[in-house]
Amino acid sequence: MADGVPGGRQGSLNFDSPHLISSHRPVDTLSRRTPQKKRSLASVIKKFFLKSSKDDEKQKMLRLAQNANAGIVGLYNHGNTCYMNAVLQCLSHTLEVTKYFVLNKYKQDVLKRIGNSQELSDSLSRVLKSLWTNGYKSEISSSFKHIIGKKAVQYSGTEQHDAHEFLLWLLDNLHDEMNIAKSTKNKKISTRKTVIRDDAKAAEEALSNQSKCNKSFIYDRFQALYRSSITCPMCNKCSNTFDPFLSLSLPLPHQGRRPVFIVIVYLPETLHSFPKQLKVGMLMDADENIQRLREVVAEDTNISHKNLILAEIYYDGFHRTLTDELSINSIHEADPIYAIQTLPPSQNSSYILIVLITSLGGRRFGSPLTFSFDRLATYSDLSGYISQLIRTNSEAVSLKVISSDGSKELPRDVEHPLLVAEVEKILEEHIPSSGPVHIKMVAEFQDEIQSGLAHQTVDEHESVEQVRVANASNPICTLYDCLQLYTKDERLEDDTWMCPNCNKRPAKPNKVLKFWSTPDMLVIHLKRFRQIAPTARRVKVDLLVTYPITGLDLSKYVCESSHRFKSPHNQHIYDLVGVVNHYGNMLGGHYTAVCRSGHPDKKWHIYDDKQVNKIMESEVVTSSAYMLFYRKCSLPPVNLDWIPNSPPHNISNLRRSNLTRSLERINIGKSES
């Protein structure tokens, strides 16, 4: 390699040299050489580009390789922060949002609001920059969570949270930091005007009123208007109101038949055997109740329905007893439901029916057991019988009874522990429709015990697989079905609405909801969690909703008159960019994100906290989808040349700076001559 020549190529320009001629010869020879003819500016530029084009291609390929994984980075979990990580990944792959924060454009808006805090915006900007420059570290997302916790105490700990609620909180608080609207009060719009005025004018007034108080990048991108129309049955006048929305919460269609899986616990066949456990599957009408389920189980097993207790038992113990009045929808197909066969009621009034589970270190083992026991027995008698029942030499360290108030340990220092007030209370609160009168008990063991009960298994009946197959072959619900349900005519059941035209309160007026405008970034929330009457218990619906990856068309659900409304993007077609998935149920779950790469390959990846894996497009649509992030197709494409250290941006700057320095030296040489 020649000394002093970058790359070892003779004749190349060295722009760091004070001379414009080749500096690869020794300096003393330069002083004795014959002056050469001065080169023209055009020849210098031509030679520069011939050389730099080859170097730039190498640098471009190198930096392309370094940036190939930009944005495809997982996030650490800082204590049940999977809900936060999934939302951040979907926002990160909404490139308009990422570009806005990575290039610090948000600071221009924040500065317009004197005195406003920008702590949240700055922290989000740091997270997105780190993901797209391969500079992510655990401390960055930890700091983001800390700032979130400072602003909202509910997010300061390690509790689980709903991802959709967090997204709305985040968008609203980002909006507050960069809201450039000058007014703080909405102008009240007369409802009478909405009856007589043109829709476009009323919508424009509503939007203008909203913009005067709420104007930010977040709202400009994510917010749109829907029109609510109520027709008065008395005067036949239609009243229209216009309201903004940040996301769509779509209901899921009602399921006609749903799968139910139950573990049948039979009585032991002999005195020296343990109960047999058999898991069965059945399809039940969704509008039926637990009483019908109890009858079906009794018919299929030849067990009297009077000797069946239906209970929900998790790894940590009893959760609830199912009563006949509950709806089938009150149980989820993943809930561990047990149908426990009991002995017929004892003729001896001093005996009590006990449903027992055994636990080791707070974790249940073996099958539930049932037996009748004398309430006049001592604690030692009861504890010894339980050890004998499960055939172990170990003794339980505690015996607890389960009531509506939780669990309470039976006292050792009383003569008859089954006669204490807590047991009496349980018996008094017994609901007849929950099965025979009984108490639930937990025997807690401390050390590893030798018992065949610990090695029990649950057999699976062929009906389980048959029900799974039958449920999978049910008619598929589409996202358009959910949209149709969301926008269908609705009869208002109350009489709180007053017609602004006739000033009367009609009974059951008709309400129709449609979109007046559609946002650039559309977030769709699938309402998978329902409250079930009469207990108000929330359950999750695992219905598969198929959604288009490209070409989601909302035109059918947009008001026809809105086409006259001026909008920068009057098309209503979207492509999917991200999905937030939820796994589990109401007692616990986990969130992941599936996002389309912003790189030219448009590949899909699944983000499970720090773990990132490439998936096929056919794997994007699943029954776990909870939130969908769509981007309007009519928006201009977002390239990645704005990413810090990306090839096109920096190489062009490098080329201009080198050329500028060379031209300056040419001018210096001319002036010296």
Side-chain angles (χ1 to χ4, degrees):
M1 181 178 292
D3 295 335
V5 182
R9 289 184 294 179
Q10 297 185 8
S12 60
L13 292 176
N14 182 357
F15 295 123
D16 294 326
S17 170
H19 304 285
L20 292 175
I21 56 177
S22 177
S23 58
H24 64 280
R25 296 191 181 93
V27 176
D28 59 336
T29 61
L30 291 175
S31 60
R32 295 193 300 269
R33 52 180 283 188
T34 304
Q36 296 182 0
K37 183 179 179 181
K38 293 182 179 179
R39 290 173 293 177
S40 67
L41 175 61
S43 64
V44 172
I45 294 176
K46 180 179 179 181
K47 190 171 185 178
F48 169 79
F49 276 109
L50 286 174
K51 180 261 179 183
S52 63
S53 62
K54 297 180 180 179
D55 289 349
D56 287 348
E57 282 301 316
K58 290 183 179 180
Q59 293 185 38
K60 183 175 181 179
M61 295 302 296
L62 176 63
R63 288 172 180 166
L64 277 173
Q66 293 173 344
N67 287 276
N69 292 323
I72 309 175
V73 181
L75 291 163
Y76 284 100
N77 191 310
H78 302 287
N80 283 328
T81 56
C82 55
Y83 69 93
M84 189 179 297
N85 292 346
V87 168
L88 286 175
Q89 292 291 1
C90 287
L91 289 178
S92 172
H93 288 83
T94 306
L95 296 183
E96 282 83 356
V97 174
T98 298
K99 183 177 181 180
Y100 178 76
F101 283 98
V102 168
L103 296 186
N104 295 329
K105 292 185 177 181
Y106 72 96
K107 291 188 175 182
Q108 302 172 11
D109 293 335
V110 172
L111 291 175
K112 296 176 183 177
R113 299 284 293 179
I114 299 175
N116 260 26
S117 168
Q118 63 184 67
E119 194 174 24
L120 181 60
S121 302
D122 286 340
S123 184
L124 178 60
S125 176
R126 284 193 294 271
V127 172
L128 295 178
K129 286 176 182 176
S130 69
L131 294 178
W132 286 87
T133 59
N134 298 322
Y136 171 72
K137 296 180 180 178
S138 175
E139 305 83 60
I140 297 176
S141 52
S142 177
S143 174
F144 178 76
K145 181 188 181 299
H146 176 70
I147 291 172
I148 294 285
K150 282 172 55 179
K151 289 183 169 290
V153 66
Q154 68 267 28
Y155 297 121
S156 60
T158 57
E159 295 82 7
Q160 296 190 9
H161 291 281
D162 182 83
H164 180 243
E165 292 177 0
F166 172 71
L167 172 68
L168 294 181
W169 180 92
L170 180 62
L171 294 180
D172 279 334
N173 280 266
L174 289 172
H175 160 76
D176 289 341
E177 287 193 356
M178 57 190 68
N179 185 7
I180 62 175
K182 297 181 179 179
S183 177
T184 57
K185 293 183 180 180
N186 282 343
K187 175 184 175 183
K188 187 174 181 180
I189 301 176
S190 170
T191 55
R192 180 174 292 275
K193 287 182 179 181
T194 61
V195 179
I196 60 176
R197 292 187 62 184
D198 178 78
D199 271 357
K201 292 181 180 179
E204 189 172 3
E205 183 176 349
L207 185 61
S208 175
N209 183 39
Q210 169 76 3
S211 300
K212 287 178 181 178
C213 307
N214 297 286
K215 179 67 175 176
S216 70
F217 170 84
I218 296 297
Y219 276 17
D220 287 347
R221 290 296 191 179
F222 287 89
Q223 196 177 73
L225 286 178
Y226 67 79
R227 187 190 72 180
S228 176
S229 303
I230 302 180
T231 303
C232 177
M234 303 183 75
C235 66
N236 291 324
K237 293 291 185 180
C238 181
S239 173
N240 294 330
T241 56
F242 298 86
D243 294 291
F245 65 89
L246 273 178
S247 72
L248 296 178
S249 290
L250 302 184
L252 272 59
H254 176 73
Q255 292 175 276
R257 290 175 66 82
R258 53 166 305 169
V260 177
F261 301 102
I262 299 182
V263 177
I264 311 294
V265 182
Y266 294 91
L267 288 172
E269 295 179 354
T270 67
L271 293 175
H272 303 288
S273 63
F274 293 119
K276 178 184 177 182
Q277 299 182 98
L278 179 65
K279 186 174 183 178
V280 299
M282 55 192 71
L283 285 173
M284 302 289 296
D285 289 338
D287 55 358
E288 290 182 322
N289 55 21
I290 297 300
Q291 180 181 359
R292 178 55 187 156
L293 176 62
R294 190 188 306 273
E295 293 170 352
V296 171
V297 172
E299 293 169 4
D300 291 348
T301 60
N302 291 322
I303 300 173
S304 171
H305 70 276
K306 296 179 180 180
N307 298 333
L308 278 175
I309 295 175
L310 301 183
E312 188 177 40
I313 308 176
Y314 280 81
Y315 69 92
D316 57 350
F318 293 106
H319 275 234
R320 60 174 176 150
T321 302
L322 304 181
T323 59
D324 288 346
E325 297 79 17
L326 292 175
S327 167
I328 289 294
N329 280 325
S330 66
I331 59 176
H332 185 268
E333 64 181 83
D335 289 343
I337 305 299
Y338 286 74
I340 305 169
Q341 181 183 10
T342 68
L343 293 167
S346 174
Q347 299 300 320
N348 192 334
S349 60
S350 69
Y351 274 69
I352 185 174
L353 178 63
I354 298 176
V355 179
L356 174 77
I357 61 172
T358 49
S359 177
L360 181 64
R363 197 171 188 90
R364 180 176 68 87
F365 67 90
S367 66
L369 302 168
T370 62
F371 60 94
S372 292
F373 209 72
D374 191 350
R375 296 186 68 189
L376 298 177
T378 65
Y379 187 96
S380 178
D381 291 337
L382 178 60
S383 177
Y385 181 80
I386 291 175
S387 296
Q388 181 183 353
L389 191 64
I390 67 173
R391 294 193 286 284
T392 181
N393 294 325
S394 302
E395 184 179 349
V397 296
S398 68
L399 298 176
K400 299 177 182 178
V401 289
I402 310 300
S403 70
S404 57
D405 299 327
S407 64
K408 186 173 182 179
E409 190 170 336
L410 287 178
R412 293 172 177 265
D413 55 354
V414 298
E415 187 176 2
H416 306 298
L418 292 178
L419 291 178
V420 297
E422 187 66 26
V423 175
E424 290 291 345
K425 180 184 176 183
I426 295 173
L427 295 175
E428 291 174 0
E429 293 179 346
H430 171 75
I431 301 174
S433 63
S434 64
V437 179
H438 66 281
I439 65 171
K440 297 181 181 67
M441 185 178 294
V442 178
E444 179 67 38
F445 291 85
Q446 190 171 23
D447 301 318
E448 194 72 32
I449 66 171
Q450 298 296 325
S451 172
L453 188 68
H455 304 290
Q456 265 193 302
T457 59
V458 178
D459 297 328
E460 188 171 288
H461 190 262
E462 59 183 11
S463 60
V464 174
E465 183 61 25
Q466 291 170 354
V467 167
R468 286 176 178 154
V469 172
N471 185 55
S473 62
N474 283 343
I476 296 176
C477 170
T478 70
L479 188 60
Y480 291 111
D481 294 330
C482 299
L483 285 164
Q484 191 66 36
L485 192 61
Y486 182 74
T487 57
K488 75 172 185 177
D489 292 7
E490 176 188 2
R491 286 284 182 183
L492 301 181
E493 296 299 328
D494 53 34
D495 58 354
T496 57
W497 181 76
M498 176 180 285
C499 176
N501 183 65
C502 63
N503 292 325
K504 295 180 180 180
R505 297 184 186 275
K508 298 184 178 181
N510 191 56
K511 177 183 176 181
V512 179
L513 196 66
K514 279 202 169 186
F515 305 122
W516 182 261
S517 61
T518 52
D520 292 345
M521 312 302 166
L522 175 66
V523 178
I524 295 178
H525 163 232
L526 300 177
K527 298 172 71 173
R528 291 197 176 276
F529 300 104
R530 291 177 178 168
Q531 279 194 339
I532 304 299
T535 61
R537 179 175 182 254
R538 296 186 73 196
V539 297
K540 183 185 176 186
V541 180
D542 280 330
L543 178 66
L544 173 62
V545 179
T546 61
Y547 39 89
I549 294 178
T550 59
L552 172 65
D553 191 354
L554 297 186
S555 302
K556 178 181 177 181
Y557 313 99
V558 178
C559 303
E560 294 181 2
S561 54
S562 71
H563 294 302
R564 299 196 303 270
F565 183 69
K566 293 182 179 179
S567 173
H569 308 295
N570 58 5
Q571 297 183 34
H572 313 291
I573 300 176
Y574 292 84
D575 286 343
L576 187 70
V577 296
V579 181
V580 171
N581 291 319
H582 180 269
Y583 305 92
N585 51 35
M586 292 304 303
L587 296 176
H590 182 61
Y591 288 99
T592 65
V594 172
C595 301
R596 187 185 67 187
S597 167
H599 295 271
D601 59 9
K602 304 294 183 184
K603 296 294 185 182
W604 289 89
H605 297 81
I606 183 168
Y607 298 81
D608 187 353
D609 290 331
K610 194 68 180 70
Q611 188 74 26
V612 182
N613 290 300
K614 187 180 293 185
I615 63 172
M616 303 295 292
E617 187 175 290
S618 58
E619 301 176 84
V620 173
V621 179
T622 70
S623 60
S624 300
Y626 184 54
M627 281 196 295
L628 310 173
F629 287 70
Y630 280 95
R631 179 182 181 273
K632 188 170 283 188
C633 294
S634 58
L635 294 174
V638 179
N639 299 318
L640 298 182
D641 56 355
W642 47 271
I643 299 177
N645 296 326
S646 65
H649 179 76
N650 283 342
I651 287 179
S652 60
N653 286 343
L654 177 66
R655 180 176 296 171
R656 285 194 298 270
S657 60
N658 283 347
L659 180 58
T660 301
R661 287 198 298 269
S662 66
L663 293 178
E664 288 175 351
R665 290 171 185 145
I666 290 176
N667 291 332
I668 293 174
K670 285 183 178 180
S671 61
E672 288 177 352
S673 61

